Amino acid sequence: MTKDGQLKFQGRVPYPPVDKVDDWGLDAQQQEAQVEQFRRLLEGKNAWVKDEHDYYTLLRFLRARNYELDKATKMWLDTLEWRREYGVDTILEDFVFHEREQFLMAYPQGYHKTDKLGRPIYIQLLGKIDIGTLKRITTEERMIKFHIQEYERCVKVLMPICSKLQGRQIDQTFGIMDVKGVGMSHLSGEVKRLISTLTKYDQDNYPEMLGRICIINAPMVFKAIWALVKPLLNPRTLSKIQICQTNYAKDLLEHVDAENLPEWLGGRSKGTLLDDVGPWSDPEVLKKIEGQLPLAPKTLKALKRLATLSGTGEVKMLIEEQADGYQSPRWGRLCRFNTLCVFCQ
């Protein structure tokens, strides 16, 4: 407790909190007092582990429930039960999604570098979802597991690395959602059900992780639906969503440096979604922080298994198992230009 009677958080704070009033009208001291009160509640229920549950994790759950302790506690306990049921704590080691490349060809998505605030950029091409192919190459259960694994990778690998490089807490993403080709078939039936299922897992268990999302190539049907939905959303949610103009590159470049934005979105980055390009997949960056972050050595080890292909230009796939089962999302593929490339634009 501080001299003025405010509660101090008795746990791990990786980086100093930002000294400003948040969207709920609480200053930094008031936020910390709320988090500590929440921590004490959870500790009393044997639902808080110091090494696993830091200040910012608790803060995200509190904010997701507007700092209402009872509601935040229920959300937290439900998440812990869900994690036990699904084996989420070990999903990075236990689950290997062998069909990843085929899956991403039928549902293009992935992380690609960072925005101007240092947040991982997550890109989805919703109009290219091919539900028929998805059903042929995998099961819904495995799709969900892969989705959860990617969230865990973001929380445990991508964001800690981004935070280390920025010297401050990074716990949100910048999203780019391409809805070109989205029609009524995407807004109903199996596609809608799949997206709704994944979205519910996200909202229930990974709250307050979206910093901003830019929607590009919105067709008329999407804009019509958006006009109906927009009045139902609260101002805070609306402030995170941007429907970009036809020349969407101009809007995106307000948030992302050109060298970090893919060429096919108007930037200068030659990386692709399957390449998983970012500081989290840069061996030099990982070497520098190898002794500073728990999962950095494992991530670096996973990347080292990528061999260098050269010569014939023959397309090859490199997959090498590891003793602990952890598999880097970067699978090497060589095209006729002798570079790592998938989704060449």
Side-chain angles (χ1 to χ4, degrees), residues 158-194:
L158 275 61
M159 286 178 171
I161 289 173
C162 291
S163 298
K164 189 69 181 176
L165 295 176
Q166 293 293 318
R168 57 185 174 82
Q169 182 69 14
I170 300 291
D171 54 10
Q172 291 187 323
T173 61
F174 176 84
I176 300 175
M177 182 183 292
D178 188 343
V179 293
K180 182 179 181 179
V182 168
M184 293 309 298
S185 62
H186 293 82
L187 303 173
S188 60
E190 291 185 87
V191 174
K192 179 186 177 183
R193 186 180 62 78
L194 174 62

Side-chain angles (χ1 to χ4, degrees), residues 123-135:
I123 304 170
Q124 295 185 77
L125 281 61
L126 290 190
K128 292 189 176 182
I129 295 177
D130 183 343
I131 196 70
T133 298
L134 289 176
K135 290 168 70 175

Side-chain angles (χ1 to χ4, degrees), residues 243-262:
I243 308 296
C244 295
Q245 57 187 313
T246 303
N247 179 22
Y248 57 78
K250 182 179 178 181
D251 290 335
L252 296 179
L253 289 169
E254 290 182 5
H255 307 286
V256 183
D257 290 325
E259 58 267 25
N260 285 357
L261 189 67

Side-chain angles (χ1 to χ4, degrees), residues 27 58 62 116-117 123 125 131 147 149 249 260 267 300 317 340:
D27 63 28
L58 271 63
L62 269 177
K116 291 181 180 180
L117 297 180
I123 304 170
L125 281 61
I131 196 70
H147 182 79
Q149 186 184 59
N260 285 357
L300 181 59
M317 181 61 61
L340 283 173

Side-chain angles (χ1 to χ4, degrees), residues 202-257:
D202 301 347
Q203 292 175 341
D204 291 350
N205 304 291
Y206 302 98
E208 295 296 312
M209 284 183 60
L210 176 64
R212 187 175 190 83
I213 186 166
C214 287
I215 298 173
I216 64 173
N217 291 320
M220 290 305 298
V221 64
F222 186 91
K223 292 178 179 178
I225 293 172
W226 175 248
L228 296 175
V229 172
K230 188 175 179 180
L232 305 177
L233 301 177
N234 64 52
R236 184 170 171 276
T237 299
L238 277 174
S239 70
K240 294 183 176 185
I241 303 171
Q242 180 178 352
I243 308 296
C244 295
Q245 57 187 313
T246 303
N247 179 22
Y248 57 78
K250 182 179 178 181
D251 290 335
L252 296 179
L253 289 169
E254 290 182 5
H255 307 286
V256 183
D257 290 325

Side-chain angles (χ1 to χ4, degrees), residues 67 71 100 122 126-127 137 141-142 155 168 212 285 297 323 334 339:
Y67 286 98
K71 292 181 178 179
R100 178 181 179 273
Y122 187 71
L126 290 190
I137 63 176
E141 180 183 4
R142 287 181 62 78
V155 171
R168 57 185 174 82
R212 187 175 190 83
V285 171
L334 193 73
T339 57

